[in-house]
Amino acid sequence: MSAPSHASKQLPATIDRELTDLLGPPRSPWEAPGFSYADELLGWASRWSSPERIRQLVQAVCEDPALLSACAARSFHHPLGFDKFVLLVADRYEVRLHVWWPGTRALHEHIHDHRFAFASCTLAGTVRSTVYEESPHGVLMARYRESRTERARDYVFHEPELTRVVALPPRPHPSGTGYFLRPDVLHRVWPTTDTGTATLVVKVPTPRATTTVLMDPLGKPPARIRRRFLDTETTRARLLRAAKWCAREV
């Protein structure tokens, strides 16, 4: 692999400076009236979602052996059918690329929330999101509490409780649009076609130790799932392919 260009070397530092300035010092994730950086974070993700910016970001990761190795160590094929690439990581943020390749069948996603807030912008294709709220008049669901093993390699699900939820109207997010979600918002997100979808996701960790997963109370409980991480060369090849595909070059 050739040595990183000067521009590629500077790009991660530029992103780190921009996101650190945007997010500011660590704060309570439940600060009223919400996440003050939400609009700015979504704006940042939108600006970095152009095909040229994605190409530059992928090139910076692929040309730097340390960044590429770190990316591969955190990247894997998600059980829901997409490749999750963790491009850059810092204490206050994580920059990801999610890719549902053309022809890949997206699996059913359970209603869930997260340990983190995030902004997501659609690079190709369309995703649809639905938010759910707990209500005594809603559909009966089994609520599982999900945690991680010590090395964060496995998802572990604990005994469920019962709750009821109602769905808000679904929202489409076609290429060039995005959204922000707090960690405590119950939701589902899925691609609308099998012709391929990609999103740029900026994750902001919070102190939450567990998440919620909702399922049909008569259904089979979620299984313990082990992540299978990608090797360096597979990561590099798929990242370069994704960047070209987002630019409609393949």
Side-chain angles (χ1 to χ4, degrees):
M1 186 181 299
S2 60
S5 65
H6 178 72
S8 293
K9 285 182 178 180
Q10 296 301 312
L11 190 61
T14 298
I15 290 175
D16 182 72
R17 182 170 59 253
E18 290 179 357
L19 286 175
T20 299
D21 289 347
L22 186 156
L23 294 169
R27 68 192 78 193
S28 165
W30 312 120
E31 178 183 17
F35 290 79
S36 59
Y37 55 78
D39 290 342
E40 291 181 86
L41 187 67
L42 184 55
W44 185 93
S46 179
R47 290 192 299 276
W48 277 88
S49 292
S50 69
E52 177 61 19
R53 287 268 178 113
I54 293 298
R55 184 195 65 78
Q56 292 171 351
L57 180 53
V58 166
Q59 182 179 355
V61 172
C62 290
E63 288 184 353
D64 188 307
L67 286 179
L68 181 59
S69 178
C71 176
R74 296 181 175 92
S75 301
F76 57 94
H77 184 71
H78 197 280
L80 292 176
F82 62 91
D83 280 352
K84 185 180 89 169
F85 301 102
V86 182
L87 302 177
L88 299 172
V89 177
D91 289 341
R92 294 283 284 128
Y93 65 83
E94 189 173 289
V95 179
R96 301 176 174 181
L97 180 63
H98 292 178
V99 180
W100 290 262
W101 297 105
T104 299
R105 185 173 67 90
L107 302 182
H108 175 79
E109 180 176 70
H110 297 303
I111 302 168
H112 64 287
D113 60 17
H114 289 289
R115 294 174 184 79
F116 51 85
F118 70 93
S120 176
C121 286
T122 308
L123 310 175
T126 298
V127 296
R128 188 178 297 273
S129 67
T130 300
V131 169
Y132 296 80
E133 295 181 346
E134 294 193 77
S135 167
H137 307 293
V139 177
L140 185 66
M141 303 290 289
R143 176 168 52 192
Y144 288 85
R145 184 170 55 87
E146 178 265 318
S147 61
R148 298 280 175 82
T149 57
E150 184 176 348
R151 296 185 63 190
R153 297 272 165 165
D154 296 328
Y155 300 96
V156 179
F157 295 93
H158 304 271
E159 287 299 315
E161 301 173 343
L162 294 178
T163 188
R164 291 182 180 273
V165 296
V166 294
L168 302 185
R171 297 176 56 198
H173 306 283
S175 180
T177 66
Y179 61 97
F180 174 89
L181 277 183
R182 292 169 55 108
D184 59 336
V185 175
L186 292 166
H187 65 282
R188 286 182 61 217
V189 179
W190 65 98
T192 60
T193 71
D194 62 359
T195 58
T197 303
T199 59
L200 180 69
V201 178
V202 186
K203 162 187 165 182
V204 180
T206 72
R208 298 189 85 196
T210 63
T211 63
T212 299
V213 178
L214 302 184
M215 294 185 60
D216 182 338
L218 299 180
K220 185 178 179 181
R224 179 170 173 157
I225 302 170
R226 177 174 292 274
R227 301 172 177 183
R228 292 178 173 83
F229 291 83
L230 303 177
D231 60 64
T232 301
E233 285 309 308
T234 299
T235 300
R236 182 177 184 276
R238 292 187 185 182
L239 279 176
L240 293 174
R241 178 187 171 198
K244 289 182 178 180
W245 175 59
C246 289
R248 306 300 193 274
E249 295 179 10
V250 296

PDB file of all heavy atoms in Angstrom, residues 150-176:
ATOM      1  N   GLU A 150     -18.173  -8.340  28.483  1.00  0.00           N
ATOM      2  CA  GLU A 150     -17.109  -7.427  28.898  1.00  0.00           C
ATOM      3  C   GLU A 150     -16.283  -6.921  27.730  1.00  0.00           C
ATOM      4  O   GLU A 150     -15.909  -5.755  27.665  1.00  0.00           O
ATOM      5  CB  GLU A 150     -16.197  -8.142  29.907  1.00  0.00           C
ATOM      6  CG  GLU A 150     -15.102  -7.259  30.482  1.00  0.00           C
ATOM      7  CD  GLU A 150     -14.293  -7.974  31.536  1.00  0.00           C
ATOM      8  OE1 GLU A 150     -14.712  -9.061  31.977  1.00  0.00           O
ATOM      9  OE2 GLU A 150     -13.243  -7.437  31.918  1.00  0.00           O
ATOM     10  N   ARG A 151     -16.016  -7.774  26.748  1.00  0.00           N
ATOM     11  CA  ARG A 151     -15.199  -7.365  25.608  1.00  0.00           C
ATOM     12  C   ARG A 151     -16.055  -6.826  24.458  1.00  0.00           C
ATOM     13  O   ARG A 151     -15.544  -6.551  23.379  1.00  0.00           O
ATOM     14  CB  ARG A 151     -14.362  -8.548  25.113  1.00  0.00           C
ATOM     15  CG  ARG A 151     -13.350  -9.036  26.136  1.00  0.00           C
ATOM     16  CD  ARG A 151     -12.476 -10.122  25.542  1.00  0.00           C
ATOM     17  NE  ARG A 151     -11.701  -9.595  24.418  1.00  0.00           N
ATOM     18  CZ  ARG A 151     -10.989 -10.366  23.594  1.00  0.00           C
ATOM     19  NH1 ARG A 151     -10.993 -11.668  23.747  1.00  0.00           N
ATOM     20  NH2 ARG A 151     -10.305  -9.831  22.603  1.00  0.00           N
ATOM     21  N   ALA A 152     -17.368  -6.659  24.702  1.00  0.00           N
ATOM     22  CA  ALA A 152     -18.296  -6.098  23.711  1.00  0.00           C
ATOM     23  C   ALA A 152     -18.334  -6.900  22.419  1.00  0.00           C
ATOM     24  O   ALA A 152     -18.611  -6.369  21.356  1.00  0.00           O
ATOM     25  CB  ALA A 152     -17.947  -4.634  23.408  1.00  0.00           C
ATOM     26  N   ARG A 153     -18.093  -8.210  22.513  1.00  0.00           N
ATOM     27  CA  ARG A 153     -18.141  -9.060  21.335  1.00  0.00           C
ATOM     28  C   ARG A 153     -19.494  -9.748  21.184  1.00  0.00           C
ATOM     29  O   ARG A 153     -19.811 -10.272  20.132  1.00  0.00           O
ATOM     30  CB  ARG A 153     -17.031 -10.118  21.406  1.00  0.00           C
ATOM     31  CG  ARG A 153     -15.631  -9.509  21.399  1.00  0.00           C
ATOM     32  CD  ARG A 153     -15.128  -9.324  19.992  1.00  0.00           C
ATOM     33  NE  ARG A 153     -13.979  -8.438  19.931  1.00  0.00           N
ATOM     34  CZ  ARG A 153     -13.170  -8.336  18.884  1.00  0.00           C
ATOM     35  NH1 ARG A 153     -13.399  -9.052  17.812  1.00  0.00           N
ATOM     36  NH2 ARG A 153     -12.167  -7.512  18.886  1.00  0.00           N
ATOM     37  N   ASP A 154     -20.278  -9.804  22.247  1.00  0.00           N
ATOM     38  CA  ASP A 154     -21.561 -10.490  22.211  1.00  0.00           C
ATOM     39  C   ASP A 154     -22.676  -9.578  22.700  1.00  0.00           C
ATOM     40  O   ASP A 154     -22.461  -8.710  23.546  1.00  0.00           O
ATOM     41  CB  ASP A 154     -21.550 -11.733  23.104  1.00  0.00           C
ATOM     42  CG  ASP A 154     -20.567 -12.787  22.631  1.00  0.00           C
ATOM     43  OD1 ASP A 154     -20.353 -12.876  21.412  1.00  0.00           O
ATOM     44  OD2 ASP A 154     -20.022 -13.504  23.480  1.00  0.00           O
ATOM     45  N   TYR A 155     -23.884  -9.790  22.169  1.00  0.00           N
ATOM     46  CA  TYR A 155     -25.093  -9.175  22.692  1.00  0.00           C
ATOM     47  C   TYR A 155     -25.742 -10.181  23.641  1.00  0.00           C
ATOM     48  O   TYR A 155     -25.875 -11.358  23.317  1.00  0.00           O
ATOM     49  CB  TYR A 155     -26.082  -8.855  21.569  1.00  0.00           C
ATOM     50  CG  TYR A 155     -25.568  -7.902  20.518  1.00  0.00           C
ATOM     51  CD1 TYR A 155     -25.021  -8.373  19.329  1.00  0.00           C
ATOM     52  CD2 TYR A 155     -25.657  -6.527  20.708  1.00  0.00           C
ATOM     53  CE1 TYR A 155     -24.567  -7.510  18.348  1.00  0.00           C
ATOM     54  CE2 TYR A 155     -25.204  -5.650  19.735  1.00  0.00           C
ATOM     55  CZ  TYR A 155     -24.666  -6.147  18.556  1.00  0.00           C
ATOM     56  OH  TYR A 155     -24.212  -5.290  17.592  1.00  0.00           O
ATOM     57  N   VAL A 156     -26.158  -9.728  24.823  1.00  0.00           N
ATOM     58  CA  VAL A 156     -26.793 -10.598  25.797  1.00  0.00           C
ATOM     59  C   VAL A 156     -28.168 -10.035  26.141  1.00  0.00           C
ATOM     60  O   VAL A 156     -28.294  -8.854  26.493  1.00  0.00           O
ATOM     61  CB  VAL A 156     -25.942 -10.727  27.084  1.00  0.00           C
ATOM     62  CG1 VAL A 156     -26.644 -11.622  28.098  1.00  0.00           C
ATOM     63  CG2 VAL A 156     -24.557 -11.273  26.752  1.00  0.00           C
ATOM     64  N   PHE A 157     -29.223 -10.866  26.038  1.00  0.00           N
ATOM     65  CA  PHE A 157     -30.585 -10.433  26.309  1.00  0.00           C
ATOM     66  C   PHE A 157     -31.074 -11.016  27.633  1.00  0.00           C
ATOM     67  O   PHE A 157     -30.891 -12.201  27.908  1.00  0.00           O
ATOM     68  CB  PHE A 157     -31.508 -10.873  25.173  1.00  0.00           C
ATOM     69  CG  PHE A 157     -31.181 -10.219  23.861  1.00  0.00           C
ATOM     70  CD1 PHE A 157     -30.334 -10.845  22.961  1.00  0.00           C
ATOM     71  CD2 PHE A 157     -31.700  -8.985  23.535  1.00  0.00           C
ATOM     72  CE1 PHE A 157     -30.021 -10.246  21.748  1.00  0.00           C
ATOM     73  CE2 PHE A 157     -31.394  -8.370  22.331  1.00  0.00           C
ATOM     74  CZ  PHE A 157     -30.550  -9.001  21.439  1.00  0.00           C
ATOM     75  N   HIS A 158     -31.708 -10.164  28.456  1.00  0.00           N
ATOM     76  CA  HIS A 158     -32.180 -10.559  29.779  1.00  0.00           C
ATOM     77  C   HIS A 158     -33.693 -10.803  29.754  1.00  0.00           C
ATOM     78  O   HIS A 158     -34.382 -10.460  28.795  1.00  0.00           O
ATOM     79  CB  HIS A 158     -31.814  -9.471  30.789  1.00  0.00           C
ATOM     80  CG  HIS A 158     -30.342  -9.171  30.821  1.00  0.00           C
ATOM     81  ND1 HIS A 158     -29.456  -9.835  31.635  1.00  0.00           N
ATOM     82  CD2 HIS A 158     -29.593  -8.290  30.103  1.00  0.00           C
ATOM     83  CE1 HIS A 158     -28.230  -9.373  31.440  1.00  0.00           C
ATOM     84  NE2 HIS A 158     -28.286  -8.430  30.511  1.00  0.00           N
ATOM     85  N   GLU A 159     -34.211 -11.398  30.823  1.00  0.00           N
ATOM     86  CA  GLU A 159     -35.624 -11.765  30.894  1.00  0.00           C
ATOM     87  C   GLU A 159     -36.528 -10.560  30.611  1.00  0.00           C
ATOM     88  O   GLU A 159     -36.277  -9.451  31.097  1.00  0.00           O
ATOM     89  CB  GLU A 159     -35.950 -12.349  32.257  1.00  0.00           C
ATOM     90  CG  GLU A 159     -35.391 -13.759  32.463  1.00  0.00           C
ATOM     91  CD  GLU A 159     -35.955 -14.745  31.462  1.00  0.00           C
ATOM     92  OE1 GLU A 159     -37.187 -14.715  31.230  1.00  0.00           O
ATOM     93  OE2 GLU A 159     -35.167 -15.527  30.891  1.00  0.00           O
ATOM     94  N   PRO A 160     -37.619 -10.765  29.838  1.00  0.00           N
ATOM     95  CA  PRO A 160     -38.432  -9.625  29.405  1.00  0.00           C
ATOM     96  C   PRO A 160     -39.507  -9.215  30.406  1.00  0.00           C
ATOM     97  O   PRO A 160     -39.876  -9.964  31.311  1.00  0.00           O
ATOM     98  CB  PRO A 160     -39.082 -10.159  28.129  1.00  0.00           C
ATOM     99  CG  PRO A 160     -39.253 -11.630  28.413  1.00  0.00           C
ATOM    100  CD  PRO A 160     -38.029 -12.021  29.213  1.00  0.00           C
ATOM    101  N   GLU A 161     -40.010  -8.001  30.192  1.00  0.00           N
ATOM    102  CA  GLU A 161     -41.225  -7.500  30.828  1.00  0.00           C
ATOM    103  C   GLU A 161     -42.215  -7.199  29.703  1.00  0.00           C
ATOM    104  O   GLU A 161     -41.850  -7.204  28.525  1.00  0.00           O
ATOM    105  CB  GLU A 161     -40.931  -6.224  31.624  1.00  0.00           C
ATOM    106  CG  GLU A 161     -39.888  -6.394  32.712  1.00  0.00           C
ATOM    107  CD  GLU A 161     -39.518  -5.055  33.335  1.00  0.00           C
ATOM    108  OE1 GLU A 161     -39.816  -4.002  32.715  1.00  0.00           O
ATOM    109  OE2 GLU A 161     -38.943  -5.068  34.430  1.00  0.00           O
ATOM    110  N   LEU A 162     -43.469  -6.907  30.051  1.00  0.00           N
ATOM    111  CA  LEU A 162     -44.464  -6.580  29.044  1.00  0.00           C
ATOM    112  C   LEU A 162     -44.710  -5.075  29.004  1.00  0.00           C
ATOM    113  O   LEU A 162     -44.674  -4.394  30.030  1.00  0.00           O
ATOM    114  CB  LEU A 162     -45.781  -7.314  29.322  1.00  0.00           C
ATOM    115  CG  LEU A 162     -45.742  -8.833  29.198  1.00  0.00           C
ATOM    116  CD1 LEU A 162     -47.098  -9.422  29.555  1.00  0.00           C
ATOM    117  CD2 LEU A 162     -45.337  -9.262  27.793  1.00  0.00           C
ATOM    118  N   THR A 163     -44.944  -4.557  27.821  1.00  0.00           N
ATOM    119  CA  THR A 163     -45.271  -3.152  27.642  1.00  0.00           C
ATOM    120  C   THR A 163     -46.171  -3.028  26.423  1.00  0.00           C
ATOM    121  O   THR A 163     -46.395  -3.998  25.699  1.00  0.00           O
ATOM    122  CB  THR A 163     -43.993  -2.308  27.459  1.00  0.00           C
ATOM    123  OG1 THR A 163     -44.331  -0.916  27.472  1.00  0.00           O
ATOM    124  CG2 THR A 163     -43.291  -2.640  26.149  1.00  0.00           C
ATOM    125  N   ARG A 164     -46.714  -1.839  26.194  1.00  0.00           N
ATOM    126  CA  ARG A 164     -47.540  -1.572  25.015  1.00  0.00           C
ATOM    127  C   ARG A 164     -46.998  -0.340  24.289  1.00  0.00           C
ATOM    128  O   ARG A 164     -46.610   0.637  24.948  1.00  0.00           O
ATOM    129  CB  ARG A 164     -49.002  -1.349  25.410  1.00  0.00           C
ATOM    130  CG  ARG A 164     -49.696  -2.616  25.913  1.00  0.00           C
ATOM    131  CD  ARG A 164     -51.158  -2.357  26.253  1.00  0.00           C
ATOM    132  NE  ARG A 164     -51.819  -3.566  26.728  1.00  0.00           N
ATOM    133  CZ  ARG A 164     -52.396  -4.466  25.934  1.00  0.00           C
ATOM    134  NH1 ARG A 164     -52.425  -4.255  24.615  1.00  0.00           N
ATOM    135  NH2 ARG A 164     -52.962  -5.547  26.439  1.00  0.00           N
ATOM    136  N   VAL A 165     -46.989  -0.379  22.966  1.00  0.00           N
ATOM    137  CA  VAL A 165     -46.460   0.736  22.187  1.00  0.00           C
ATOM    138  C   VAL A 165     -47.368   1.040  21.002  1.00  0.00           C
ATOM    139  O   VAL A 165     -48.088   0.160  20.501  1.00  0.00           O
ATOM    140  CB  VAL A 165     -45.041   0.452  21.663  1.00  0.00           C
ATOM    141  CG1 VAL A 165     -44.053   0.306  22.816  1.00  0.00           C
ATOM    142  CG2 VAL A 165     -45.013  -0.779  20.772  1.00  0.00           C
ATOM    143  N   VAL A 166     -47.329   2.300  20.582  1.00  0.00           N
ATOM    144  CA  VAL A 166     -48.007   2.717  19.351  1.00  0.00           C
ATOM    145  C   VAL A 166     -46.958   3.253  18.386  1.00  0.00           C
ATOM    146  O   VAL A 166     -45.931   3.811  18.803  1.00  0.00           O
ATOM    147  CB  VAL A 166     -49.072   3.804  19.624  1.00  0.00           C
ATOM    148  CG1 VAL A 166     -50.204   3.240  20.450  1.00  0.00           C
ATOM    149  CG2 VAL A 166     -48.447   5.005  20.313  1.00  0.00           C
ATOM    150  N   ALA A 167     -47.189   3.059  17.096  1.00  0.00           N
ATOM    151  CA  ALA A 167     -46.265   3.524  16.060  1.00  0.00           C
ATOM    152  C   ALA A 167     -46.685   4.891  15.552  1.00  0.00           C
ATOM    153  O   ALA A 167     -47.865   5.130  15.268  1.00  0.00           O
ATOM    154  CB  ALA A 167     -46.229   2.533  14.903  1.00  0.00           C
ATOM    155  N   LEU A 168     -45.730   5.801  15.441  1.00  0.00           N
ATOM    156  CA  LEU A 168     -45.974   7.082  14.795  1.00  0.00           C
ATOM    157  C   LEU A 168     -45.857   6.894  13.276  1.00  0.00           C
ATOM    158  O   LEU A 168     -45.321   5.885  12.808  1.00  0.00           O
ATOM    159  CB  LEU A 168     -44.962   8.113  15.291  1.00  0.00           C
ATOM    160  CG  LEU A 168     -44.948   8.366  16.808  1.00  0.00           C
ATOM    161  CD1 LEU A 168     -43.982   9.486  17.146  1.00  0.00           C
ATOM    162  CD2 LEU A 168     -46.338   8.672  17.335  1.00  0.00           C
ATOM    163  N   PRO A 169     -46.375   7.827  12.475  1.00  0.00           N
ATOM    164  CA  PRO A 169     -46.305   7.660  11.017  1.00  0.00           C
ATOM    165  C   PRO A 169     -44.858   7.468  10.544  1.00  0.00           C
ATOM    166  O   PRO A 169     -43.954   8.187  10.990  1.00  0.00           O
ATOM    167  CB  PRO A 169     -46.889   8.976  10.481  1.00  0.00           C
ATOM    168  CG  PRO A 169     -47.791   9.447  11.577  1.00  0.00           C
ATOM    169  CD  PRO A 169     -47.115   9.046  12.860  1.00  0.00           C
ATOM    170  N   PRO A 170     -44.609   6.496   9.674  1.00  0.00           N
ATOM    171  CA  PRO A 170     -43.241   6.266   9.180  1.00  0.00           C
ATOM    172  C   PRO A 170     -42.750   7.435   8.337  1.00  0.00           C
ATOM    173  O   PRO A 170     -43.544   8.151   7.713  1.00  0.00           O
ATOM    174  CB  PRO A 170     -43.376   4.991   8.341  1.00  0.00           C
ATOM    175  CG  PRO A 170     -44.814   4.920   7.971  1.00  0.00           C
ATOM    176  CD  PRO A 170     -45.578   5.554   9.095  1.00  0.00           C
ATOM    177  N   ARG A 171     -41.426   7.600   8.322  1.00  0.00           N
ATOM    178  CA  ARG A 171     -40.811   8.696   7.571  1.00  0.00           C
ATOM    179  C   ARG A 171     -39.771   8.135   6.614  1.00  0.00           C
ATOM    180  O   ARG A 171     -38.878   7.391   7.036  1.00  0.00           O
ATOM    181  CB  ARG A 171     -40.139   9.686   8.527  1.00  0.00           C
ATOM    182  CG  ARG A 171     -41.087  10.388   9.478  1.00  0.00           C
ATOM    183  CD  ARG A 171     -40.290  11.263  10.449  1.00  0.00           C
ATOM    184  NE  ARG A 171     -39.456  12.214   9.748  1.00  0.00           N
ATOM    185  CZ  ARG A 171     -38.422  12.854  10.300  1.00  0.00           C
ATOM    186  NH1 ARG A 171     -38.088  12.598  11.552  1.00  0.00           N
ATOM    187  NH2 ARG A 171     -37.711  13.714   9.605  1.00  0.00           N
ATOM    188  N   PRO A 172     -39.860   8.494   5.322  1.00  0.00           N
ATOM    189  CA  PRO A 172     -38.817   8.068   4.377  1.00  0.00           C
ATOM    190  C   PRO A 172     -37.625   9.023   4.439  1.00  0.00           C
ATOM    191  O   PRO A 172     -37.782  10.227   4.673  1.00  0.00           O
ATOM    192  CB  PRO A 172     -39.519   8.156   3.029  1.00  0.00           C
ATOM    193  CG  PRO A 172     -40.524   9.255   3.216  1.00  0.00           C
ATOM    194  CD  PRO A 172     -40.967   9.191   4.655  1.00  0.00           C
ATOM    195  N   HIS A 173     -36.432   8.478   4.223  1.00  0.00           N
ATOM    196  CA  HIS A 173     -35.208   9.285   4.202  1.00  0.00           C
ATOM    197  C   HIS A 173     -34.434   8.915   2.928  1.00  0.00           C
ATOM    198  O   HIS A 173     -33.543   8.060   2.954  1.00  0.00           O
ATOM    199  CB  HIS A 173     -34.361   9.020   5.449  1.00  0.00           C
ATOM    200  CG  HIS A 173     -35.104   9.192   6.737  1.00  0.00           C
ATOM    201  ND1 HIS A 173     -35.387  10.433   7.277  1.00  0.00           N
ATOM    202  CD2 HIS A 173     -35.653   8.290   7.578  1.00  0.00           C
ATOM    203  CE1 HIS A 173     -36.067  10.275   8.414  1.00  0.00           C
ATOM    204  NE2 HIS A 173     -36.226   8.991   8.607  1.00  0.00           N
ATOM    205  N   PRO A 174     -34.783   9.552   1.801  1.00  0.00           N
ATOM    206  CA  PRO A 174     -34.091   9.245   0.543  1.00  0.00           C
ATOM    207  C   PRO A 174     -32.678   9.834   0.533  1.00  0.00           C
ATOM    208  O   PRO A 174     -32.282  10.578   1.436  1.00  0.00           O
ATOM    209  CB  PRO A 174     -34.980   9.912  -0.505  1.00  0.00           C
ATOM    210  CG  PRO A 174     -35.646  11.040   0.233  1.00  0.00           C
ATOM    211  CD  PRO A 174     -35.846  10.548   1.634  1.00  0.00           C
ATOM    212  N   SER A 175     -31.938   9.483  -0.497  1.00  0.00           N
ATOM    213  CA  SER A 175     -30.571   9.976  -0.639  1.00  0.00           C
ATOM    214  C   SER A 175     -30.532  11.495  -0.546  1.00  0.00           C
ATOM    215  O   SER A 175     -31.347  12.189  -1.145  1.00  0.00           O
ATOM    216  CB  SER A 175     -30.013   9.518  -1.993  1.00  0.00           C
ATOM    217  OG  SER A 175     -28.698   9.980  -2.172  1.00  0.00           O
ATOM    218  N   GLY A 176     -29.593  12.016   0.254  1.00  0.00           N
ATOM    219  CA  GLY A 176     -29.457  13.456   0.439  1.00  0.00           C
ATOM    220  C   GLY A 176     -30.194  14.000   1.638  1.00  0.00           C
ATOM    221  O   GLY A 176     -30.151  15.204   1.900  1.00  0.00           O
TER     222      GLY A 176
END
